[in-house]
């Protein structure tokens, strides 16, 4: 029936199709949060099948347009910095937009590299948003 989104998807209503696609892209992304700052262990990079991590001076982010929601990176992070977008804690919500914004500026990282020498010290620090370097 006209006006029903399912009808319009089935009948090729392009506006609804592109709207549904946008929703899927947003829902499927994984997000790197505050715990990564100054830790940057990069264990996550090695397992990503689509190379969607981007590297900044002291943190990585995920390009939400490239992430295929495979979940492989989540258990690899020693500081549990990575969440499905729907599961990002309230206090970390700003990192959803930051991942998108910074992924557009930063370069891909496709291989693990040594963590900063003081990464284990910073892993114990919870509040470090203000130390993010862009
Ligand atoms: Fe890469 Fe999969 Fe993690 Fe997305 S969920 S960043 S595709 S490893
Ligand atoms: Fe950061 Fe964890 Fe990857 S610390 S670099 S998200 S393994």
């Amino acid at each position: 029936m006209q006006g029903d989104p399912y009808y319009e998807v089935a009948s090729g209503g392009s506006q609804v199709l592109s709207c549904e696609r946008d929703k899927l892209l947003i829902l499927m992304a994984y997000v790197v949060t505050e715990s990564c700052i100054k830790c940057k262990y990069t264990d996550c990079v090695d397992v990503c099948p689509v190379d969607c991590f981007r590297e900044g001076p002291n943190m990585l982010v995920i390009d939400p347009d490239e992430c295929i929601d495979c979940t492989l990176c989540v258990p690899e992070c020693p500081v549990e910095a990575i969440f499905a977008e729907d599961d990002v804690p309230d206090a970390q919500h700003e990192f959803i937009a930051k991942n998108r914004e910074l992924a557009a500026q930063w370069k891909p990282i496709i291989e693990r590299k040594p963590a900063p020498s003081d990464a284990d010290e910073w892993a114990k620090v919870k509040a470090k948003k203000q130390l993010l370097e862009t």
Side-chain angles (χ1 to χ4, degrees):
M1 159 188 181
Q2 203 84 25
D4 175 340
Y6 293 104
Y7 169 85
E8 293 194 12
V9 167
S11 64
S14 60
Q15 208 174 345
V16 174
L17 277 173
S18 82
C19 171
E20 292 296 306
R21 252 190 227 122
D22 286 351
K23 262 194 219 158
L24 268 180
L25 285 174
I26 291 164
L27 287 174
M28 289 180 80
Y30 275 65
V31 176
V32 184
T33 62
E34 184 173 14
S35 299
C36 181
I37 296 170
K38 291 182 83 65
C39 286
K40 213 165 111 170
Y41 286 107
T42 71
D43 301 45
C44 53
V45 172
D46 264 353
V47 298
C48 182
V50 292
D51 295 337
C52 61
F53 282 92
R54 305 288 178 260
E55 182 181 16
N58 64 0
M59 180 188 183
L60 301 194
V61 292
I62 291 169
D63 183 335
D65 292 335
E66 299 293 329
C67 177
I68 58 167
D69 189 31
C70 72
T71 77
L72 289 175
C73 57
V74 174
E76 295 302 313
C77 177
V79 289
E80 300 179 349
I82 305 173
F83 295 87
E85 184 173 333
D86 282 354
D87 298 331
V88 172
D90 287 348
Q92 300 290 307
H93 232 248
E94 68 201 80
F95 283 92
I96 297 172
K98 273 193 198 305
N99 273 239
R100 180 173 288 282
E101 175 196 326
L102 296 172
Q105 298 171 27
W106 290 351
K107 293 205 164 32
I109 172 171
I110 57 172
E111 281 183 349
R112 187 177 173 181
K113 60 196 247 186
S117 57
D118 55 355
D120 292 348
E121 290 306 308
W122 284 106
K124 298 171 198 150
V125 179
K126 292 287 173 212
K128 45 187 177 174
K129 284 180 191 174
Q130 72 284 5
L131 301 174
L132 174 62
E133 295 174 30
T134 58

